[in-house]
């Protein structure tokens, strides 16, 4: 759920700099990275079980100080919302790695079944090793949960995790670091950088093993441009403009409540906020009526810290352009000074910019479609594919969800299910690539190593024999030929050839020994 309030918030080089300042930032980055590397070497040798004990201790500290953590989380959330969407998911993410990390990170010895016959005598082991020092560039909108989950998984995997908070995220990152240190984690393993984007750029230039970015698509472009010349891989969780598919048979009252909840949460600054609603043409009037009435009754105070006013200007332009193009404003007014009513648009075309841009504002656009195929075609016009929701009868909705292009699809709900610590989260298209959280997110924090051990049968080291071509052909037919009889004949020929080759090799070795 990347931050979208300030599109320059995490871009390396986004702020002006001078020679003295650049030198100070580079020196700071050098010290941080060198200290993290030294600490990570020892941390990687610490047994996984011991790492997890420290994460468990930190989890209990967070739970005992939940009100304090709620206060330093997102500035746009109420205390109850902070506890629900920042603190609670973070402690559940901790417990997930405590329960699953040891098994997921354990070396895996491949069974002999499935091993090619020609590799008889070879054993294979798959290992997951720490990446080393990684950089987590956090967002402004959910600074505790999103960056914190990456810190916890990175530490569990044996990495040092340098944190670059998004705008306003320092308090949350420092609070998390402090409880980890109190739980026994070396502070050099979890340094917190200044919010200045130049700090992230300097650390990247010092060399890290991987960057984990949560931010807008333009921020992703800038970070990738910094990492590409250094061949540093990046996991990106970027912008969204999420789709909602309303199927025939859907509970329109449920759809209405879900859309209002999802659009209002965190002043709409949630990358998986529902925006594009594809609804059957004949159901749209009923849904429009419900949304209009519900939106006007909201009356909640959203504009904490002036967040809405900072983005109102961009959204007002998109809404005005859509209305000029034929859309109808059903509820709300982006140009007013009252952001307490979500914007509801009807008669929206899927090609309009208002449903093709990242819109960090409570806005719901109704797009009429004739059928499911038309909805999917319209959905494909959006360059983002982070999350989506499907409302309808469960069996049909599950089946349709499999056809939706998105990293995460929820059925009969919005936003809330992504707090599940088991759920891997990531997008497609301009919404990014790679995953965080869940088992897959933990493994993304590791480097894969395969180790093979040969115990016998070093035939490939022998000098080439004229019979080899025939033996390979017989083996291919015996192993992969069509029909049992054909394969059996090839197997018999293969055995005869191996006997002949063995005899020839024995004679050749004997002759060579005599000559020497």
């Amino acid at each position: 759920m990347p931050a979208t309030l300030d599109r320059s918030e995490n871009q390396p080089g986004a702020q002006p700099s001078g020679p003295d300042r650049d030198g100070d930032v580079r020196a700071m980055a050098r010290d941080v990275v060198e200290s993290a590397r030294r600490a990570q070497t020892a941390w990687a040798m610490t047994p996984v079980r011991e790492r997890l004990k420290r994460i468990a201790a930190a989890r209990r500290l967070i739970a005992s100080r939940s009100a304090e953590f709620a206060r330093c989380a997102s500035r746009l959330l109420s205390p109850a919302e902070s506890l629900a969407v920042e603190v609670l998911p973070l402690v559940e993410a901790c417990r997930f790695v405590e329960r699953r990390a040891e098994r997921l990170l354990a070396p895996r010895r491949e069974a002999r079944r499935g091993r090619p016959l020609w590799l008889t005598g070879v054993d294979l082991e798959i290992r997951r090793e720490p990446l080393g020092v990684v950089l987590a560039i956090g967002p402004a909108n959910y600074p505790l949960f999103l960056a914190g989950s990456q810190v916890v998984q990175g530490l569990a995997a044996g990495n040092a995790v340098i944190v670059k908070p998004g705008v306003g995220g320092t308090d949350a990152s420092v609070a998390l670091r402090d409880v980890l240190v109190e739980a026994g984690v070396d502070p050099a393993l979890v340094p917190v950088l200044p919010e200045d984007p130049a700090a992230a750029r300097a650390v990247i230039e010092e060399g890290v093993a991987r960057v984990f970015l949560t931010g807008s698509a333009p921020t992703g472009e800038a970070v990738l441009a910094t990492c590409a010349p250094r061949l540093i891989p990046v996991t990106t969780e970027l912008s969204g403009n999420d789709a909602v598919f309303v199927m025939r048979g859907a509970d329109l009252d449920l759809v209405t409540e879900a859309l209002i909840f999802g659009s209002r949460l965190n002043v709409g600054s949630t990358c998986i906020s529902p925006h594009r609603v594809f609804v059957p043409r004949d159901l749209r009037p009923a849904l429009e009526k419900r949304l209009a009435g519900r939106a006007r009754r909201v009356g909640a105070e959203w504009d904490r810290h002036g967040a809405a006013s900072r983005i109102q200007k961009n959204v007002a332009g998109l809404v005005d352009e859509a209305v000029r193009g034929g859309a109808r404003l059903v509820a709300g007014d982006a140009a007013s000074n009252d952001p307490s009513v979500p914007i509801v648009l009807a008669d929206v075309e899927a090609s309009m910019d208002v449903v093709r841009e990242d819109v960090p504002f409570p806005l719901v656009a109704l797009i009429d479609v004739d059928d499911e195929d038309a909805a999917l075609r319209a959905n494909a016009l959006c360059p983002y594919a982070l999350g989506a929701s499907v409302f309808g009868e469960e069996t049909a909705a599950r089946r349709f969800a499999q056809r939706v292009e998105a990293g995460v699809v929820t059925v009969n709900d919005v936003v809330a299910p992504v707090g599940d610590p088991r759920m891997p989260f990531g997008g497609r298209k301009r919404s990014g690539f790679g995953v965080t959280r869940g088992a897959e997110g933990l493994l993304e924090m590791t480097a894969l190593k395969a180790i093979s051990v040969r115990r016998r049968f070093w035939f490939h080291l022998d000098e080439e024999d004229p019979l080899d071509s025939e033996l390979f052909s017989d083996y291919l037919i015996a192993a992969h030929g069509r029909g049992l009889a054909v394969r059996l004949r090839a197997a018999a020929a293969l055995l005869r050839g191996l006997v002949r080759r063995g005899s020839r090799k024995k004679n050749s070795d004997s002759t060579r020994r005599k000559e020497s």
Side-chain angles (χ1 to χ4, degrees):
M1 289 177 278
T4 53
L5 294 181
D6 181 353
R7 295 186 183 279
S8 66
E9 64 186 11
N10 278 323
Q11 293 185 19
Q15 296 183 2
S17 61
D20 292 341
R21 176 177 168 275
D22 284 350
D24 291 343
V25 171
R26 285 196 297 270
M28 177 275 298
R30 189 179 307 115
D31 291 344
V32 166
V33 173
E34 288 178 358
S35 297
R37 284 176 180 153
R38 289 193 296 270
Q40 190 274 330
T41 300
W43 182 246
M45 300 299 294
T46 303
V48 175
R49 186 168 297 181
E50 180 60 32
R51 298 179 211 154
L52 299 181
K53 286 181 181 177
R54 300 181 198 185
I55 290 173
R59 170 176 57 85
R60 289 188 285 269
L61 288 170
I62 294 170
S64 66
R65 303 169 189 172
S66 58
E68 175 187 335
F69 274 86
R71 283 193 296 271
C72 68
S74 174
R75 299 165 298 165
L76 309 178
L77 297 167
S78 69
E81 287 173 331
S82 289
L83 287 170
V85 303
E86 286 264 66
V87 182
L88 182 57
L90 177 59
V91 297
E92 293 294 350
C94 292
R95 181 144 57 186
F96 173 83
V97 298
E98 293 166 37
R99 292 172 172 173
R100 300 282 300 277
E102 191 169 16
R103 181 175 62 82
L104 289 168
L105 299 174
R108 185 180 82 247
R109 186 73 62 85
E110 287 294 315
R112 295 178 180 178
R113 182 180 180 182
R115 179 179 61 188
L117 181 62
W118 55 278
L119 286 176
T120 297
V122 175
D123 287 341
L124 177 62
E125 182 182 70
I126 308 298
R127 301 185 65 86
R128 291 285 181 171
E129 299 181 347
L131 291 168
V133 178
V134 303
L135 171 64
I137 303 178
N141 58 345
Y142 293 95
L144 181 63
F145 170 46
L146 296 184
S149 296
Q150 294 174 9
V151 169
V152 168
Q153 290 203 320
L155 290 173
N159 301 302
V161 186
I162 300 173
V163 183
K164 183 328 202 143
V167 174
T170 297
D171 288 349
S173 294
V174 169
L176 177 60
R177 180 202 61 194
D178 289 349
V179 296
L180 286 166
V181 171
E182 189 174 342
V185 174
D186 186 334
L189 291 169
V190 280
V192 177
L193 300 176
E195 295 176 11
D196 184 350
R201 182 182 60 186
V203 165
I204 292 171
E205 290 172 350
E206 283 299 315
V208 291
R210 194 177 191 97
V211 175
F212 293 83
L213 166 68
T214 307
S216 66
T219 299
E221 293 174 0
V223 172
L224 287 168
T226 304
C227 292
R230 298 163 179 83
L231 298 180
I232 296 174
V234 184
T235 295
T236 60
E237 180 188 328
L238 304 178
S239 302
N241 190 317
D242 272 21
V244 176
F245 299 89
V246 180
M247 305 182 69
R248 298 187 188 283
D251 182 340
L252 296 186
D253 290 330
L254 173 63
V255 174
T256 301
E257 293 302 319
L259 290 174
I260 294 297
F261 163 77
S263 64
R264 291 179 59 209
L265 182 64
N266 210 16
V267 197
S269 182
T270 300
C271 65
I272 53 172
S273 290
H275 291 302
R276 299 175 293 132
V277 183
F278 300 100
V279 57
R281 203 173 299 277
D282 57 318
L283 296 184
R284 193 259 305 152
L287 180 58
E288 177 184 330
K289 182 179 179 180
R290 286 172 167 81
L291 275 172
R294 184 68 179 87
R296 295 187 186 109
R297 292 197 304 272
V298 169
E301 186 269 317
W302 288 342
D303 197 13
R304 302 184 183 98
H305 303 278
S309 61
R310 293 201 302 272
I311 55 178
Q312 229 165 19
K313 188 165 52 177
N314 292 336
V315 175
L318 291 171
V319 171
D320 184 58
E321 180 184 16
V323 171
R324 290 199 310 269
R328 287 184 294 108
L329 187 62
V330 174
D333 182 1
S336 76
N337 293 318
D338 179 16
S340 63
V341 178
I343 296 170
V344 179
L345 292 169
D347 296 339
V348 176
E349 297 293 332
S351 59
M352 291 178 172
D353 285 346
V354 75
V355 287
R356 286 174 49 82
E357 298 289 337
D358 176 15
V359 181
F361 197 84
L363 183 148
V364 174
L366 301 179
I367 303 171
D368 294 358
V369 293
D370 293 323
D371 53 35
E372 295 174 4
D373 291 337
L376 292 174
R377 287 193 299 271
N379 178 56
L381 296 177
C382 181
Y384 299 109
L386 188 57
S389 297
V390 181
F391 286 86
E393 186 274 323
E394 183 177 329
T395 300
R398 279 177 174 269
R399 186 166 55 247
F400 182 75
Q402 297 173 25
R403 302 177 62 194
V404 175
E405 184 178 19
V408 175
V409 183
T410 61
V411 173
N412 291 328
D413 201 355
V414 296
V415 183
V418 301
D420 187 339
R422 303 169 301 169
M423 178 180 285
F425 193 83
R428 302 180 184 181
K429 300 166 70 174
R430 279 184 64 80
S431 290
F433 41 82
V435 294
T436 60
R437 309 203 299 272
E440 291 76 9
L442 176 62
L443 295 180
E444 189 115 338
M445 289 281 183
T446 66
L448 185 146
K449 178 186 286 183
I451 299 176
S452 67
V453 178
R454 182 178 284 277
R455 292 199 171 95
R456 55 189 181 277
F457 304 130
W458 288 266
F459 295 134
H460 57 288
L461 301 181
D462 296 342
E463 293 181 1
E464 186 174 340
D465 187 281
L467 282 173
D468 287 351
S469 179
E470 181 181 337
L471 291 174
F472 281 125
S473 295
D474 288 337
Y475 172 79
L476 284 166
I477 296 172
H480 305 285
R482 184 175 182 179
L484 180 60
V486 171
R487 294 173 63 187
L488 288 175
R489 283 196 298 271
L494 175 62
L495 289 174
R496 290 193 299 269
L498 288 171
V499 171
R500 287 168 56 203
R501 193 186 190 286
S503 177
R504 289 161 65 118
K505 182 178 184 300
K506 183 177 180 181
N507 292 335
S508 175
D509 291 345
S510 177
T511 301
R512 190 181 299 111
R513 283 194 298 271
K514 290 178 181 179
E515 291 175 349
S516 63

